[in-house]
Amino acid sequence: EPEVTQTPSHQVTQMGQEVILRCVPISNHLYFYWYRQILGQKVEFLVSFYNNEISEKSEIFDDQFSVERPDGSNFTLKIRSTKLEDSAMYFCASRRDRGISGELFFGEGSRLTVL
Amino acid sequence: QQQVKQSPQSLIVQKGGIPIINCAYENTAFDYFPWYQQFPGKGPALLIAIRPDVSEKKEGRFTISFNKSAKQFSLHIMDSQPGDSATYFCAASGVTGGGNKLTFGTGTQLKVEL
């Protein structure tokens, strides 16, 4: 069964350092997303990406965040200068169809710990 | 207006019981309501979803009831099993200019005891 894969599974970094989280969406999917989940809290939307550009972003997704699809298969989330409050599980997700019935498939997440 | 309110925060039932999780929304532009199941250390996985043109949808032991006028929907798990122990999230989305982002509820931790 096709799946969304994410690396690394866990990253520990110092405050102020840059972090890149990587995702390989399902191959025939066209819409890509990043969500995050602070421990014990709800899953929050960060950004959606389609046709090599951001479709929508939340207020969480400030100038410290960027996304890129550098090579047609990987989808990356970069946090330029990490803060303590960026510690969370980051989930990549992808969807084939734009329609409302298109299922969103999530990866297993990358846990980011900022010290 | 973008929030989805979910209750209860946690729930313990006996094996065979019928846990019910409730969600409410405000944004009338929402037109797709999925439920996600999440096991510890895993990403959310789609369980079942409903559109507002029907009042109920059943897939196996899982049923969504939808009340459009009240802007509420709920998940019922029939004959619950210990393997159903997980966190359940309701969510909602609508067609926007972007990419149909999901707005999640706060989650319900379900424990099914033997």
Side-chain angles (χ1 to χ4, degrees), chain A residues 28-47:
Chain A
N28 63 346
H29 285 193
L30 301 175
Y31 299 88
F32 313 112
Y33 305 79
W34 284 99
Y35 287 78
R36 81 170 185 192
Q37 184 178 31
I38 294 171
L39 186 63
Q41 298 186 24
K42 69 177 179 180
V43 180
E44 299 176 289
F45 169 78
L46 291 178
V47 65

Side-chain angles (χ1 to χ4, degrees), chain A residues 21-79:
Chain A
L21 305 178
R22 292 181 169 80
C23 168
V24 179
I26 295 172
S27 62
N28 63 346
H29 285 193
L30 301 175
Y31 299 88
F32 313 112
Y33 305 79
W34 284 99
Y35 287 78
R36 81 170 185 192
Q37 184 178 31
I38 294 171
L39 186 63
Q41 298 186 24
K42 69 177 179 180
V43 180
E44 299 176 289
F45 169 78
L46 291 178
V47 65
S48 59
F49 191 87
Y50 169 71
N51 201 26
N52 282 320
E53 61 182 26
I54 291 174
S55 308
E56 189 172 358
K57 58 184 181 180
S58 71
E59 57 274 10
I60 301 169
F61 194 88
D62 61 21
D63 292 344
Q64 294 299 314
F65 291 88
S66 63
V67 290
E68 194 176 38
R69 190 157 159 80
D71 57 10
S73 62
N74 289 287
F75 179 50
T76 62
L77 174 69
K78 182 192 290 187
I79 308 174

Side-chain angles (χ1 to χ4, degrees), chain B residues 3-63:
Chain B
Q3 283 188 334
V4 177
K5 296 180 181 177
Q6 183 171 348
S7 63
Q9 188 174 7
S10 63
L11 190 53
I12 300 174
V13 299
Q14 296 298 310
K15 179 176 180 290
I18 306 175
I20 300 172
I21 305 170
N22 300 297
C23 285
Y25 64 98
E26 290 292 325
N27 188 347
T28 55
F30 287 149
D31 53 11
Y32 173 66
F33 302 90
W35 284 88
Y36 280 79
Q37 181 187 56
Q38 185 181 32
F39 293 105
K42 301 292 187 182
L46 180 65
L47 196 59
I48 185 173
I50 197 168
R51 293 181 60 180
D53 52 351
V54 297
S55 60
E56 185 176 280
K57 184 173 181 180
K58 188 177 294 188
E59 287 185 4
R61 296 185 293 109
F62 301 94
T63 300

